[in-house]
């Protein structure tokens, strides 16, 4: 009886694993993108196509960006055999991102955390080029005990 249970569990495990797609079944196009020169405080987007080259459906378990400055929106988690879906990627440079930046987005098929497909993007983050110092005008500011001041800070 014990031998029968072992063989049955081995057969079931084999059937289950045969239905899981590998990373090579998932193609990302394009695999990289350059946003060029970008400015702080603005959003930059691109669209990526995920293509399933397998004869079985691929289910996307996770889409992970390596920076909180990046958001993603997947059109569909299940990609039919020989089908495709779109992945929208939005990059919002954050304070501290100066100069050349490079980030990675990982697309992880369900139950296949070690087999990811990847998309890389880069940008050259430049400060706003208005050339004026930032000012804050608070107008009349009471200082207490009868004092007052004009509150313009640079």
């Amino acid at each position: 009886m014990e031998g029968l249970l072992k063989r049955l569990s081995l057969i079931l495990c084999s059937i289950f694993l045969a239905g899981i797609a590998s990373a090579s079944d998932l193609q990302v196009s394009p695999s990289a993108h350059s946003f060029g020169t970008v400015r702080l405080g603005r959003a930059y987007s691109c669209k990526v196509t995920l293509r399933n080259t397998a004869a079985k459906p691929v289910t996307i378990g996770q889409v992970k960006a390596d920076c909180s400055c990046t958001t993603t929106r997947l059109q569909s988690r299940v990609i039919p055999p020989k089908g495709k879906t779109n992945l929208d990627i939005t990059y919002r440079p954050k304070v501290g991102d100066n100069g050349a930046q490079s980030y990675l987005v990982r697309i992880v098929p369900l139950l296949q955390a070690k087999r990811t497909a990847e998309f890389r993007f880069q940008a050259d983050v430049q400060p706003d080029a208005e050339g004026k110092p930032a000012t804050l005008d608070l107008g009349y500011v009471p200082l207490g005990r009868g004092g007052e001041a004009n509150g313009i800070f640079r």
Side-chain angles (χ1 to χ4, degrees):
M1 180 72 172
E2 187 177 313
L4 178 64
L5 286 176
K6 283 183 182 180
R7 277 186 270 157
L8 183 59
S9 53
L10 182 61
I11 291 169
L12 289 175
C13 186
S14 298
I15 292 170
F16 176 74
L17 291 175
I20 297 175
S22 70
S24 61
D25 294 336
L26 188 60
Q27 293 180 343
V28 181
S29 177
S31 60
H33 179 77
S34 175
F35 286 111
T37 301
V38 299
R39 306 275 182 215
L40 293 174
R42 299 183 186 146
Y44 300 88
S45 296
C46 66
K47 186 173 293 222
V48 176
T49 301
L50 305 177
R51 192 174 310 278
N52 176 7
T53 61
K56 56 189 174 258
V58 172
T59 301
I60 305 300
Q62 254 184 329
V63 177
K64 299 190 285 187
D66 63 359
C67 175
S68 63
C69 58
T70 305
T71 56
T72 60
R73 189 181 64 78
L74 189 60
Q75 183 181 18
S76 174
R77 287 206 172 276
V78 178
I79 308 171
K82 308 295 182 193
K84 63 183 181 178
T85 191
N86 291 321
L87 174 64
D88 296 318
I89 298 171
T90 302
Y91 171 56
R92 289 180 180 81
K94 63 184 184 308
V95 175
D97 286 354
N98 295 317
Q101 303 294 317
S102 180
Y103 297 103
L104 189 65
V105 176
R106 290 179 181 85
I107 301 101
V108 184
L110 189 63
L111 303 176
Q112 293 289 307
K114 293 182 181 179
R115 295 183 174 203
T116 63
E118 297 178 343
F119 172 78
R120 182 170 295 281
F121 70 90
Q122 51 192 344
D124 181 21
V125 181
Q126 298 297 315
D128 285 326
E130 292 181 14
K132 296 186 283 186
T135 60
L136 175 63
D137 185 352
L138 298 177
Y140 170 77
V141 179
L143 298 176
R145 294 190 185 186
E148 60 184 60
N150 191 4
I152 296 180
F153 298 93
R154 292 187 195 270

